Amino acid sequence: MTGTAAVAATATAGTVLPGQAQAAAAPSGVAAAAPDHCHRRRLGYVLSHEQFPTDALRSFASAADAAGFASVWASDHIQPWQPNEGHSMFPWNTLALVGRDTRHLHFGTGVTCPTYRHHPTQVAQAWASLGIENPGRVFLGVGTGEALNEQASTGAFGRYPERAARLVEAVTLIRRLWTGQRVTFQGRYFRTQGLKLWDLPRRPVPIHIAASGPKSAYLAGRYGDGWITGSADFLKKPLRDAFARGARAAGKDPDAMPKLVETFVVVGGQAEAEYAATRWRFTVDPWSDLVYVPDPARIQQLAAQRWPLSRVYRDWPVSTDPAVHIAAVRKLVGMGATPFIHSGQQDQKRVIDFYGRYVLPHV
């Protein structure tokens, strides 16, 4: 997924463009609040390695922490989805620095593929170390990957049934290694021989599984501690039902499990929306055939051929009216989700400040 984790999709408030109830301050009776009230720590923020380098992402994370966001996730890519996004630094380094830079934030990946580029033993060790260094603040997001990361860097990328089986096997191995026992694992895809991780956090790091279809949603419920997806997919009842079935099959309460939902927004008007949509055009439908395209330039070309910019941001809240953004996130929160705000506009600090002052206090 906006493996992006779950770059799938979109918030559900209507788009508001210039001349349609735009306001720079706080209309609709929505008042600004002083930053960092603990009751506001509910929403998350997306740190996009595709669009910004690590030094910028660190500053965004610190600003989100001060503004009252609860969490951030970092995309885990070796290439951006589209060349015009422009970046792709190593996210595990970024997260280690975010842990040092911030006081309150929970953080993780949205999402890591632990089956091709990254071996599950490597992922298990890395997240055990992050968990020790940041007790209770770290989560691991995992998914089945994309060709632009996995095939481009390893030459291998199976069809969905293989990738799903690999993911379940990888999660199983990671959890066994986090017991502190010596693990000899004889799986179909992964093997270890008497391997022991010597440094572990007091509590295992939660593993959230990305899913944008019913089969993956079932796996997320059954094998994950939570679900990562996009807002358009989360709003589909068959996916929510599949997640619930998977959770109940494993003896878990689906209502109590975290549901981290990527929510694209724009704090601004049409110019900012088109800037963002140009860079995130593929998000209209990345999980059909584009997930099998290893070349970012080809993904950008196909996306430009298929979807006008207006289609890309059609369902995003595009406005400087806080009420528009409040309505979008309240709908998701009311359904049990934790929205992760993702803005493709250039001025990320504007988005963070706007949400901290005008949105978070009212969600």
PDB file of all heavy atoms in Angstrom, residues 4-17:
ATOM      1  N   THR A   4       3.569   1.881  -0.793  1.00  0.00           N
ATOM      2  CA  THR A   4       2.760   2.788  -0.046  1.00  0.00           C
ATOM      3  C   THR A   4       1.822   2.046   0.713  1.00  0.00           C
ATOM      4  O   THR A   4       1.216   1.216   0.254  1.00  0.00           O
ATOM      5  CB  THR A   4       1.990   3.645  -0.977  1.00  0.00           C
ATOM      6  OG1 THR A   4       2.897   4.336  -1.726  1.00  0.00           O
ATOM      7  CG2 THR A   4       1.216   4.770  -0.393  1.00  0.00           C
ATOM      8  N   ALA A   5       1.580   2.187   1.635  1.00  0.00           N
ATOM      9  CA  ALA A   5       0.696   1.496   2.377  1.00  0.00           C
ATOM     10  C   ALA A   5      -0.457   1.258   1.711  1.00  0.00           C
ATOM     11  O   ALA A   5      -0.803   0.517   1.189  1.00  0.00           O
ATOM     12  CB  ALA A   5       0.345   2.210   3.545  1.00  0.00           C
ATOM     13  N   ALA A   6      -1.051   2.020   1.645  1.00  0.00           N
ATOM     14  CA  ALA A   6      -2.377   1.819   1.165  1.00  0.00           C
ATOM     15  C   ALA A   6      -2.719   3.021   0.420  1.00  0.00           C
ATOM     16  O   ALA A   6      -3.627   3.690   0.692  1.00  0.00           O
ATOM     17  CB  ALA A   6      -3.270   1.686   2.332  1.00  0.00           C
ATOM     18  N   VAL A   7      -1.977   3.337  -0.472  1.00  0.00           N
ATOM     19  CA  VAL A   7      -2.267   4.528  -1.233  1.00  0.00           C
ATOM     20  C   VAL A   7      -3.542   4.242  -1.893  1.00  0.00           C
ATOM     21  O   VAL A   7      -3.542   4.091  -2.964  1.00  0.00           O
ATOM     22  CB  VAL A   7      -1.237   4.792  -2.281  1.00  0.00           C
ATOM     23  CG1 VAL A   7      -1.726   5.594  -3.417  1.00  0.00           C
ATOM     24  CG2 VAL A   7      -0.051   5.514  -1.736  1.00  0.00           C
ATOM     25  N   ALA A   8      -4.425   3.929  -1.517  1.00  0.00           N
ATOM     26  CA  ALA A   8      -5.603   3.664  -2.256  1.00  0.00           C
ATOM     27  C   ALA A   8      -6.313   4.902  -2.184  1.00  0.00           C
ATOM     28  O   ALA A   8      -6.389   5.615  -2.865  1.00  0.00           O
ATOM     29  CB  ALA A   8      -6.366   2.532  -1.670  1.00  0.00           C
ATOM     30  N   ALA A   9      -6.772   5.489  -1.244  1.00  0.00           N
ATOM     31  CA  ALA A   9      -7.743   6.329  -1.777  1.00  0.00           C
ATOM     32  C   ALA A   9      -8.112   7.490  -0.989  1.00  0.00           C
ATOM     33  O   ALA A   9      -7.269   8.120  -0.497  1.00  0.00           O
ATOM     34  CB  ALA A   9      -8.868   5.505  -2.104  1.00  0.00           C
ATOM     35  N   THR A  10      -9.353   7.785  -0.863  1.00  0.00           N
ATOM     36  CA  THR A  10      -9.749   9.152  -0.781  1.00  0.00           C
ATOM     37  C   THR A  10     -10.736   9.384   0.307  1.00  0.00           C
ATOM     38  O   THR A  10     -11.462   8.510   0.693  1.00  0.00           O
ATOM     39  CB  THR A  10     -10.371   9.563  -2.101  1.00  0.00           C
ATOM     40  OG1 THR A  10     -11.443   8.713  -2.354  1.00  0.00           O
ATOM     41  CG2 THR A  10      -9.384   9.472  -3.220  1.00  0.00           C
ATOM     42  N   ALA A  11     -10.756  10.616   0.805  1.00  0.00           N
ATOM     43  CA  ALA A  11     -11.766  10.986   1.787  1.00  0.00           C
ATOM     44  C   ALA A  11     -13.095  11.202   1.094  1.00  0.00           C
ATOM     45  O   ALA A  11     -13.177  11.207  -0.113  1.00  0.00           O
ATOM     46  CB  ALA A  11     -11.347  12.252   2.510  1.00  0.00           C
ATOM     47  N   THR A  12     -14.133  11.436   1.875  1.00  0.00           N
ATOM     48  CA  THR A  12     -15.457  11.433   1.267  1.00  0.00           C
ATOM     49  C   THR A  12     -16.169  12.761   1.368  1.00  0.00           C
ATOM     50  O   THR A  12     -17.330  12.869   1.023  1.00  0.00           O
ATOM     51  CB  THR A  12     -16.321  10.364   1.936  1.00  0.00           C
ATOM     52  OG1 THR A  12     -16.335  10.619   3.327  1.00  0.00           O
ATOM     53  CG2 THR A  12     -15.774   8.986   1.668  1.00  0.00           C
ATOM     54  N   ALA A  13     -15.497  13.788   1.842  1.00  0.00           N
ATOM     55  CA  ALA A  13     -16.130  15.096   1.830  1.00  0.00           C
ATOM     56  C   ALA A  13     -16.102  15.652   0.417  1.00  0.00           C
ATOM     57  O   ALA A  13     -15.222  15.330  -0.370  1.00  0.00           O
ATOM     58  CB  ALA A  13     -15.398  16.045   2.764  1.00  0.00           C
ATOM     59  N   GLY A  14     -17.035  16.543   0.097  1.00  0.00           N
ATOM     60  CA  GLY A  14     -17.069  17.123  -1.227  1.00  0.00           C
ATOM     61  C   GLY A  14     -15.938  18.105  -1.436  1.00  0.00           C
ATOM     62  O   GLY A  14     -15.480  18.766  -0.524  1.00  0.00           O
ATOM     63  N   THR A  15     -15.446  18.190  -2.659  1.00  0.00           N
ATOM     64  CA  THR A  15     -14.407  19.149  -3.004  1.00  0.00           C
ATOM     65  C   THR A  15     -14.982  20.553  -3.017  1.00  0.00           C
ATOM     66  O   THR A  15     -16.065  20.786  -3.524  1.00  0.00           O
ATOM     67  CB  THR A  15     -13.846  18.811  -4.400  1.00  0.00           C
ATOM     68  OG1 THR A  15     -13.319  17.488  -4.361  1.00  0.00           O
ATOM     69  CG2 THR A  15     -12.782  19.790  -4.806  1.00  0.00           C
ATOM     70  N   VAL A  16     -14.238  21.499  -2.444  1.00  0.00           N
ATOM     71  CA  VAL A  16     -14.656  22.896  -2.446  1.00  0.00           C
ATOM     72  C   VAL A  16     -13.557  23.696  -3.115  1.00  0.00           C
ATOM     73  O   VAL A  16     -12.421  23.705  -2.646  1.00  0.00           O
ATOM     74  CB  VAL A  16     -14.899  23.423  -1.016  1.00  0.00           C
ATOM     75  CG1 VAL A  16     -15.312  24.873  -1.063  1.00  0.00           C
ATOM     76  CG2 VAL A  16     -15.961  22.582  -0.321  1.00  0.00           C
ATOM     77  N   LEU A  17     -13.851  24.355  -4.197  1.00  0.00           N
ATOM     78  CA  LEU A  17     -12.871  25.095  -4.965  1.00  0.00           C
ATOM     79  C   LEU A  17     -13.073  26.594  -4.773  1.00  0.00           C
ATOM     80  O   LEU A  17     -14.031  27.022  -4.138  1.00  0.00           O
ATOM     81  CB  LEU A  17     -12.988  24.707  -6.435  1.00  0.00           C
ATOM     82  CG  LEU A  17     -12.700  23.212  -6.709  1.00  0.00           C
ATOM     83  CD1 LEU A  17     -12.902  22.904  -8.185  1.00  0.00           C
ATOM     84  CD2 LEU A  17     -11.309  22.828  -6.271  1.00  0.00           C
TER      85      LEU A  17
END
